[in-house]
C-alpha cells in the first residue's frame, strides 16, 4: 500500500528523529525539546553563532558526544543545541614534546589510535571512548583509568582555544595559526610545556561544563608509548585488603603501575546478568569466580571484592 505521507511530512519525521538523539542523554532519562541543532565546522562559525545568540538573548547548550549520565548536555526546554561533532580534526603531535593538538569534537578513540601510531599513549581512557569527544572530556574534567598514573586533565592539558559567550576567541597557551578562518593551513598550539607568565586561565574552563565558554581546540601532553603492558586480576575479601594491595603495588612497582580498576561483587553480577562477559581467558576467569561464589552466602560481608 503506497504511503499517504507527503514528501514534506517525511522530511519533518526524519528531522524529528535526528533531533531526538540530541535532545536526550545516554540514559534516556533526561529529555529536552530543542527545535534546532547547529553543527559548526570551525572556530569562526562557533564565534559567529555565540555572538548572535549573545546579542539576541538566545540560550545555547553546548554538546559533545552526548555520553553523559546526568543530563549536563541536555537542553532544559527549547534552547539551541550547539554540537561540536563536525569539528573533529586531529592536527598534529609534536615529536619533541609529545603534545597532541586537535579540535574539540575529536573522538577519544581516534585520539588513542593517532597517538599510538606516533609512538605515544593518550593519557585519558574511559569506557565511552568510542563515542565521547575530547572537548566534552575537558569540559567535565573526565578521569578514567589513567588518572592514577597521570592525574587529572588539569595536569595533562597544555593549552586550550575557547570561544567566550559573546563570541570572542581566546587562546590559552595556544598558538593562533589559522584557527578562526576555517582554512586548511597547518595549525599548531599549546607547545609550551612550561609557561610561568601570568595567570593560567585554562584551568577555569577545565571542568566548567561550558558555562564560561566553549572549548574548540585542545593541546594535551602524551607520554611515550610503553614498550610492554601487563594486566593482573586479584581477588580481595574486603575493601581494607584492596587498599593494602594497592599500597603494596605502589611501593613495589612505583611508576610502572599505570592504572587500576575496582569491581565489586554486584558489578560483576550485573555484567554477567546482561551478557557482557566475553569468551576470552580473562572473561572465563570472571565467570568461574562468579559461579564459585554463588554458594548461598548472602551476607554483604561475605561477598568478595575484585581488584
Amino acid at each position: 500500500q503506497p504511503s499517504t505521507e507527503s514528501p514534506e511530512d517525511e522530511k519533518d519525521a526524519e528531522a524529528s528523529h535526528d533531533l531526538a538523539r540530541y535532545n536526550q542523554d545516554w540514559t534516556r532519562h533526561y529529555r529536552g525539546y530543542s527545535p534546532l541543532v547547529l553543527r559548526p565546522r570551525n572556530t569562526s562559525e562557533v564565534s559567529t553563532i555565540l555572538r548572535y545568540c549573545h546579542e539576541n538573548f538566545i540560550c545555547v547548550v553546548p554538546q559533545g558526544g552526548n555520553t553523559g549520565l546526568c543530563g549536563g548536555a541536555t537542553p532544559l526546554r527549547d534552547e539551541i543545541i550547539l554540537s561540536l561533532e563536525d569539528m573533529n580534526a586531529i592536527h598534529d603531535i609534536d615529536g619533541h614534546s609529545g603534545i597532541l593538538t586537535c579540535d574539540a569534537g575529536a573522538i577519544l578513540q581516534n585520539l588513542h589510535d593517532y597517538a599510538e601510531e606516533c609512538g605515544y599513549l593518550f593519557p585519558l581512557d574511559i569506557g565511552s571512548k568510542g563515542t565521547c569527544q575530547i572537548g566534552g572530556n575537558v569540559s567535565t574534567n573526565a578521569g578514567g583509568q589513567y588518572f592514577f598514573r597521570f592525574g587529572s586533565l588539569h595536569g595533562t592539558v597544555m593549552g586550550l582555544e575557547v570561544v567566550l559567550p559573546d563570541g570572542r576567541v581566546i587562546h590559552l597557551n595556544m598558538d593562533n595559526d589559522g584557527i578562526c578562518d576555517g582554512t586548511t593551513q597547518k595549525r599548531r598550539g599549546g607547545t609550551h610545556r612550561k609557561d610561568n607568565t601570568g595567570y593560567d586561565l585554562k584551568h577555569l574552563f577545565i571542568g566548567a561544563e561550558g558555562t564560561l565558554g566553549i572549548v574548540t581546540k585542545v593541546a594535551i601532553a602524551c607520554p611515550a608509548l610503553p614498550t610492554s603492558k601487563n594486566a593482573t586480576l586479584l581477588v580481595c575479601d574486603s575493601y581494607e585488603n584492596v587498599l593494602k594491595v594497592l599500597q603494596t603495588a605502589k611501593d613495589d612497582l612505583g611508576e610502572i603501575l599505570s592504572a587500576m580498576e575496582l569491581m565489586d561483587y554486584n558489578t560483576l553480577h550485573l555484567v554477567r546478568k546482561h551478557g557482557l562477559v566475553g569468551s576470552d581467558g580473562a572473561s572465563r576467569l570472571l565467570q568461574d569466580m562468579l559461579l564459585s561464589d554463588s554458594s548461598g552466602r548472602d551476607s554483604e560481608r561475605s561477598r568478595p571484592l575484585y581488584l
Side-chain angles (χ1 to χ4, degrees):
Q1 183 177 358
S3 174
T4 58
E5 291 185 346
S6 67
E8 289 75 14
D9 291 336
E10 292 179 357
K11 288 182 179 179
D12 290 342
E14 183 178 352
S16 178
H17 176 74
D18 289 341
L19 282 171
R21 70 183 180 95
Y22 298 98
N23 271 303
Q24 61 187 12
D25 77 330
W26 188 84
T27 67
R28 301 180 183 274
H29 181 70
Y30 302 97
R31 187 183 301 271
Y33 302 94
S34 174
L36 178 63
V37 176
L38 300 178
R39 303 195 325 198
R41 294 164 296 179
N42 53 58
T43 303
S44 179
E45 292 183 358
V46 175
S47 175
T48 300
I49 291 168
L50 290 187
R51 184 183 304 112
Y52 180 87
C53 292
H54 177 75
E55 293 172 351
N56 291 276
F57 303 98
I58 300 173
C59 296
V60 176
V61 176
Q63 191 174 103
N66 201 21
T67 58
L69 305 178
C70 56
T74 307
L76 292 175
R77 290 175 292 275
D78 58 353
E79 303 93 329
I80 289 176
I81 297 174
L82 196 154
S83 171
L84 299 175
E85 62 184 279
D86 289 343
M87 294 180 60
N88 52 25
I90 303 175
H91 298 298
D92 60 14
I93 189 167
D94 189 292
H96 299 289
S97 65
I99 295 177
L100 186 153
T101 305
C102 63
D103 287 347
I107 300 296
L108 184 56
Q109 181 64 64
N110 296 341
L111 295 174
H112 274 267
D113 296 341
Y114 180 85
E116 185 174 351
E117 290 176 1
C118 298
Y120 292 90
L121 174 70
F122 200 80
L124 174 66
D125 191 1
I126 56 180
S128 58
K129 64 183 177 182
T131 309
C132 68
Q133 300 169 12
I134 187 61
N137 300 147
V138 170
S139 296
T140 56
N141 193 22
Q145 65 171 338
Y146 290 139
F147 184 94
F148 181 81
R149 174 73 179 274
F150 303 114
S152 75
L153 290 171
H154 281 286
T156 53
V157 170
M158 296 290 104
L160 292 176
E161 177 188 82
V162 181
V163 182
L164 299 179
D166 60 1
R168 287 179 295 164
V169 181
I170 59 175
H171 302 93
L172 307 170
N173 195 30
M174 178 79 72
D175 295 332
N176 181 13
D177 289 350
I179 289 174
C180 296
D181 57 6
T183 64
T184 57
Q185 62 184 337
K186 188 73 170 179
R187 302 179 180 184
R188 298 178 296 110
T191 56
H192 311 295
R193 275 188 173 270
K194 181 180 180 182
D195 185 353
N196 55 4
T197 59
Y199 300 107
D200 198 352
L201 295 178
K202 67 177 182 289
H203 293 292
L204 289 176
F205 299 93
I206 300 174
E209 301 193 31
T211 56
L212 301 179
I214 296 179
V215 174
T216 52
K217 192 176 180 184
V218 178
I220 188 165
C222 301
L225 192 67
T227 56
S228 63
K229 181 185 294 186
N230 295 288
T232 302
L233 177 66
L234 303 176
V235 183
C236 299
D237 59 4
S238 69
Y239 187 71
E240 289 73 20
N241 285 337
V242 169
L243 297 178
K244 291 179 181 178
V245 168
L246 178 59
Q247 187 60 51
T248 300
K250 290 165 61 178
D251 294 341
D252 294 348
L253 299 177
E255 292 187 357
I256 297 176
L257 183 63
S258 63
M260 63 84 62
E261 289 284 348
L262 173 66
M263 296 179 288
D264 63 14
Y265 182 92
N266 292 329
T267 300
L268 286 174
H269 272 276
L270 283 173
V271 169
R272 180 167 177 259
K273 177 182 177 181
H274 293 283
L276 302 177
V277 178
S279 58
D280 59 350
S283 297
R284 289 196 300 271
L285 179 58
L286 286 177
Q287 289 273 29
D288 292 342
M289 286 193 298
L290 287 168
L291 291 173
S292 65
D293 194 62
S294 59
S295 55
R297 296 180 299 169
D298 294 326
S299 68
E300 192 69 29
R301 180 172 297 180
S302 67
R303 295 179 178 180
L305 292 169
Y306 301 88
L307 176 65

